[in-house]
Coordinates of all heavy atoms in Angstrom, one line a residue:
F299 N 135.4 99.5 75.7 CA 135.1 100.5 76.8 C 134.0 101.4 76.3 O 134.1 102.1 75.2 CB 136.4 101.5 76.9 CG 136.3 102.3 78.2 CD1 137.1 102.0 79.3 CD2 135.5 103.4 78.3 CE1 137.0 102.7 80.4 CE2 135.5 104.1 79.4 CZ 136.2 103.8 80.6
E300 N 132.9 101.3 76.9 CA 131.7 102.0 76.5 C 131.1 103.0 77.5 O 131.1 102.8 78.6 CB 130.5 101.0 76.3 CG 130.7 99.9 75.2 CD 129.5 98.9 75.1 OE1 128.6 99.1 76.0 OE2 129.6 98.1 74.2
N301 N 130.8 104.1 76.9 CA 130.0 105.2 77.7 C 128.6 104.6 77.7 O 128.0 104.5 76.7 CB 130.2 106.4 77.1 CG 129.7 107.7 77.9 OD1 129.2 107.4 79.0 ND2 129.8 108.9 77.3
R302 N 128.2 104.6 79.0 CA 126.8 104.1 79.1 C 125.8 105.3 79.3 O 124.5 105.1 79.4 CB 126.6 103.2 80.4 CG 127.4 101.9 80.2 CD 126.8 101.0 79.2 NE 127.5 99.7 78.8 CZ 127.5 98.6 79.5 NH1 126.8 98.6 80.7 NH2 128.1 97.6 79.1
L303 N 126.3 106.5 79.3 CA 125.4 107.8 79.4 C 125.5 108.6 78.1 O 126.5 108.5 77.4 CB 125.8 108.6 80.6 CG 125.7 107.9 82.0 CD1 126.2 108.9 83.0 CD2 124.3 107.4 82.2
S304 N 124.5 109.4 77.9 CA 124.6 110.3 76.7 C 125.8 111.3 76.8 O 126.1 111.6 77.9 CB 123.2 111.0 76.6 OG 123.4 112.1 75.7
R305 N 126.2 111.7 75.7 CA 127.2 112.7 75.7 C 126.7 114.1 76.0 O 127.4 115.0 76.2 CB 127.9 112.8 74.2 CG 126.8 113.1 73.1 CD 127.3 112.9 71.8 NE 128.4 113.7 71.3 CZ 128.8 113.9 70.1 NH1 128.2 113.0 69.1 NH2 129.8 114.6 69.7
L306 N 125.3 114.1 76.2 CA 124.7 115.4 76.7 C 125.0 115.5 78.2 O 124.7 116.5 78.8 CB 123.2 115.4 76.4 CG 122.8 115.5 74.9 CD1 121.4 115.7 74.8 CD2 123.6 116.6 74.2
V307 N 125.4 114.4 78.9 CA 125.8 114.5 80.3 C 127.1 115.1 80.3 O 127.4 116.2 80.8 CB 125.8 113.0 80.9 CG1 126.1 113.2 82.4 CG2 124.4 112.5 80.9
V308 N 128.1 114.3 79.8 CA 129.4 114.9 79.5 C 129.9 114.4 78.2 O 129.5 113.2 78.0 CB 130.5 114.8 80.7 CG1 130.1 115.6 81.9 CG2 130.8 113.4 81.0
D309 N 130.8 115.1 77.5 CA 131.4 114.4 76.3 C 132.9 114.0 76.8 O 133.6 114.9 76.9 CB 131.4 115.4 75.2 CG 131.9 114.7 73.9 OD1 132.7 113.6 74.0 OD2 131.5 115.0 72.9
P310 N 133.1 112.7 77.0 CA 134.4 112.3 77.6 C 135.6 112.5 76.5 O 136.8 112.4 77.0 CB 134.2 110.9 77.8 CG 133.2 110.4 76.8 CD 132.2 111.5 76.7
E311 N 135.3 112.9 75.4 CA 136.3 113.1 74.3 C 136.8 114.5 74.1 O 137.7 114.8 73.4 CB 136.0 112.4 72.9 CG 135.9 111.0 73.1 CD 136.3 110.2 71.8 OE1 135.7 110.7 70.8 OE2 137.0 109.2 71.8
R312 N 136.1 115.3 74.8 CA 136.5 116.8 74.8 C 137.7 117.2 75.7 O 137.7 116.4 76.8 CB 135.3 117.7 75.0 CG 134.1 117.5 74.1 CD 134.4 118.0 72.8 NE 133.1 118.3 72.1 CZ 132.7 117.6 70.9 NH1 133.6 116.9 70.3 NH2 131.5 118.0 70.4
F313 N 138.4 118.1 75.5 CA 139.3 118.6 76.5 C 138.4 119.4 77.5 O 137.4 120.1 77.1 CB 140.2 119.7 75.9 CG 141.4 119.1 75.1 CD1 141.4 119.4 73.7 CD2 142.4 118.4 75.7 CE1 142.5 118.9 73.0 CE2 143.4 117.8 74.9 CZ 143.5 118.0 73.5
P314 N 138.7 119.2 78.8 CA 137.8 119.8 79.8 C 138.2 121.3 80.1 O 137.8 121.8 81.2 CB 138.2 118.9 81.1 CG 139.6 118.6 80.9 CD 139.8 118.3 79.4
D315 N 139.0 122.0 79.2 CA 139.4 123.2 79.5 C 139.6 124.0 78.1 O 138.9 123.7 77.2 CB 140.8 123.2 80.2 CG 141.8 122.4 79.5 OD1 141.7 122.4 78.2 OD2 142.7 121.8 80.0
E316 N 140.1 125.2 78.1 CA 140.2 126.1 77.1 C 140.7 125.5 75.7 O 140.7 126.2 74.7 CB 140.7 127.4 77.5 CG 142.2 127.4 77.6 CD 142.6 126.8 79.1 OE1 141.6 126.6 79.9 OE2 143.8 126.6 79.3
R317 N 141.4 124.4 75.9 CA 142.0 123.9 74.6 C 141.1 123.3 73.6 O 141.4 123.1 72.5 CB 143.0 122.7 75.1 CG 144.3 123.1 75.7 CD 145.0 121.9 76.2 NE 144.3 121.2 77.3 CZ 144.8 120.2 77.9 NH1 145.9 119.6 77.5 NH2 144.1 119.6 79.0
E318 N 139.8 123.2 74.2 CA 138.7 122.5 73.3 C 138.1 123.5 72.3 O 137.5 124.4 72.6 CB 137.7 122.0 74.2 CG 136.5 121.3 73.5 CD 136.9 120.2 72.5 OE1 137.7 119.3 72.9 OE2 136.7 120.4 71.3
E319 N 138.3 123.2 71.0 CA 137.8 124.2 69.9 C 136.3 124.3 70.0 O 135.7 125.2 69.5 CB 138.4 123.8 68.6 CG 137.9 122.5 68.0 CD 138.1 122.4 66.5 OE1 138.8 123.2 66.0 OE2 137.9 121.3 65.8
M320 N 135.7 123.1 70.3 CA 134.1 123.1 70.2 C 133.5 124.0 71.3 O 132.3 124.2 71.4 CB 133.7 121.7 70.5 CG 134.1 120.8 69.3 SD 133.5 121.3 67.7 CE 131.7 121.0 67.9
L321 N 134.3 124.5 72.2 CA 133.8 125.6 73.1 C 133.1 126.7 72.4 O 132.3 127.5 72.7 CB 134.9 126.0 74.0 CG 135.2 125.2 75.2 CD1 136.5 125.8 75.9 CD2 134.1 125.0 76.2
A322 N 133.7 127.0 71.2 CA 133.1 128.1 70.2 C 131.7 127.9 69.8 O 131.1 128.9 69.6 CB 134.1 128.1 69.0
V323 N 131.3 126.7 70.0 CA 129.8 126.4 69.6 C 129.1 125.9 70.8 O 128.0 125.1 70.8 CB 129.6 125.5 68.4 CG1 130.1 126.3 67.0 CG2 130.4 124.2 68.5
G324 N 129.7 126.1 72.0 CA 128.9 125.6 73.3 C 129.0 124.1 73.3 O 128.2 123.6 74.1
M325 N 129.9 123.5 73.0 CA 130.1 122.0 73.1 C 131.5 121.6 73.5 O 132.2 120.8 72.9 CB 129.8 121.4 71.7 CG 128.3 121.4 71.3 SD 128.0 120.4 69.9 CE 126.1 120.3 69.8
G326 N 131.9 122.2 74.6 CA 133.0 121.6 75.3 C 132.7 120.3 76.0 O 131.9 119.5 75.6
A327 N 133.3 120.0 77.1 CA 133.1 118.8 77.8 C 131.6 118.6 78.3 O 131.0 117.6 78.3 CB 134.1 118.5 79.1
V328 N 131.0 119.8 78.7 CA 129.6 120.0 79.0 C 129.0 120.9 78.1 O 129.3 122.1 78.0 CB 129.5 120.5 80.5 CG1 128.1 120.7 80.9 CG2 130.1 119.5 81.6
Y329 N 128.1 120.3 77.3 CA 127.4 121.1 76.3 C 126.5 122.1 76.8 O 125.8 121.8 77.8 CB 126.5 120.2 75.3 CG 127.4 119.3 74.5 CD1 126.7 118.3 73.7 CD2 128.7 119.1 74.6 CE1 127.5 117.4 72.9 CE2 129.5 118.3 73.9 CZ 128.9 117.3 73.0 OH 129.5 116.3 72.3
T330 N 126.5 123.3 76.3 CA 125.4 124.3 76.7 C 124.6 124.6 75.5 O 123.6 125.4 75.6 CB 126.2 125.6 77.2 OG1 127.0 126.1 76.2 CG2 127.0 125.4 78.4
R331 N 125.0 124.2 74.3 CA 124.1 124.4 73.1 C 123.9 123.1 72.3 O 124.5 122.1 72.6 CB 124.9 125.4 72.2 CG 125.5 126.6 72.7 CD 124.5 127.7 73.2 NE 123.7 128.3 72.1 CZ 122.9 129.3 72.1 NH1 122.7 129.8 73.4 NH2 122.4 129.9 71.0
T332 N 122.8 123.1 71.5 CA 122.4 121.9 70.7 C 123.1 121.8 69.4 O 123.8 122.8 69.0 CB 120.9 122.1 70.5 OG1 120.6 123.1 69.5 CG2 120.1 122.4 71.9

Side-chain angles (χ1 to χ4, degrees):
F299 195 104
E300 294 183 357
N301 189 2
R302 295 293 173 83
L303 298 180
S304 169
R305 63 197 291 192
L306 297 184
V307 178
V308 295
D309 190 331
E311 294 209 314
R312 303 286 199 241
F313 287 111
D315 52 34
E316 67 282 351
R317 288 173 291 178
E318 179 52 59
E319 71 168 357
M320 294 302 291
L321 283 169
V323 289
M325 287 188 166
V328 175
Y329 296 177
T330 58
R331 311 291 288 189
T332 71

